[in-house]
Amino acid sequence: MVKPGIYPKNSTDLLKLTNEIQKNIKEKDVGAIVTFLGISKENSTVSNKKVKSVTIEAYKDEADKVIEKICLELKSKYSLNYITIIHLEGEFLPTEPIVAVIVAAETRQQAFNALTEAIERYKKEPPIFKKENYMDGSSFWIS
C-alpha cells in the first residue's frame, strides 16, 4: 500500500487510491474503515473572494517525516489496524481532491476518533503551505 506522505498532484488519483486501500484491508477484526477526502472549494476560507484555484506546496522530506510520525502515533494510540495520510501538492481547481485520510480499526469509535485527530494534526504539524488564487487575479498564502 502507499506510504503516508506528500505526492505530486498527477502522481495518484485519490479516489481510486482510497478504493484500492479499502479493498486491500483484509484483517478479520476490522469493524470500520473510515475515509476523509479533502477537496478544494470555491469559497475562500479567509476572505469574501471566489477562489479560482488553490496552490499547495510542502517541504516534502520534512512533511513526509511528520505525516509518517502522525500515522505511527495514532496507530498506537487508537490500536488501529491501518492509517494513512496522502496529501497532494500542486494547483487544484474547486472540487479537486487534495488529501485523503484512511483509517481501519476494530470499532467505529476508534476509527472516527483517529480520523478526527489525524485531520487536525495534518493541518497544523507538517510544513505544508496553501495559497488561495482568486478570480480577481490576487492571491493569499493561508499557511
Side-chain angles (χ1 to χ4, degrees):
M1 290 197 239
V2 178
K3 185 176 177 182
I6 304 291
Y7 293 87
K9 177 183 178 184
N10 295 321
S11 68
T12 188
D13 179 326
L14 289 180
L15 294 171
K16 287 182 183 176
L17 177 66
T18 300
N19 192 36
E20 286 302 311
I21 289 171
Q22 289 179 343
K23 284 182 184 177
N24 286 314
I25 295 172
K26 303 288 187 197
E27 290 91 349
K28 293 185 179 183
D29 62 339
V30 169
I33 299 173
V34 295
T35 303
F36 170 79
L37 191 64
I39 61 173
S40 179
K41 59 187 175 200
E42 184 179 57
N43 295 323
S44 173
T45 58
V46 295
S47 76
N48 292 326
K49 297 181 180 186
K50 291 291 184 189
V51 175
K52 178 181 176 184
S53 66
V54 172
T55 303
I56 304 292
E57 294 181 4
Y59 293 117
K60 182 178 174 16
D61 291 342
E62 184 62 24
D64 285 347
K65 289 176 191 173
V66 173
I67 289 171
E68 189 165 359
K69 179 179 178 258
I70 291 168
C71 289
L72 289 171
E73 288 175 359
L74 295 179
K75 186 172 185 179
S76 175
K77 179 178 180 178
Y78 293 102
S79 300
L80 305 175
N81 295 75
Y82 180 81
I83 182 171
T84 195
I85 301 168
I86 307 297
H87 205 300
L88 302 180
E89 63 179 343
E91 189 166 348
F92 300 86
L93 300 175
T95 75
E96 289 187 304
I98 296 174
V99 60
V101 181
I102 301 115
V103 177
E106 188 173 342
T107 70
R108 67 180 178 270
Q109 195 63 51
Q110 289 168 285
F112 280 118
N113 289 343
L115 179 72
T116 300
E117 188 171 334
I119 293 166
E120 294 306 315
R121 289 184 65 183
Y122 88 68
K123 293 183 81 55
K124 294 176 186 170
E125 295 177 28
I128 300 171
F129 310 97
K130 175 181 170 183
K131 179 174 74 169
E132 289 185 341
N133 305 300
Y134 304 114
M135 294 288 194
D136 67 5
S138 65
S139 61
F140 184 77
W141 283 100
I142 295 173
S143 55

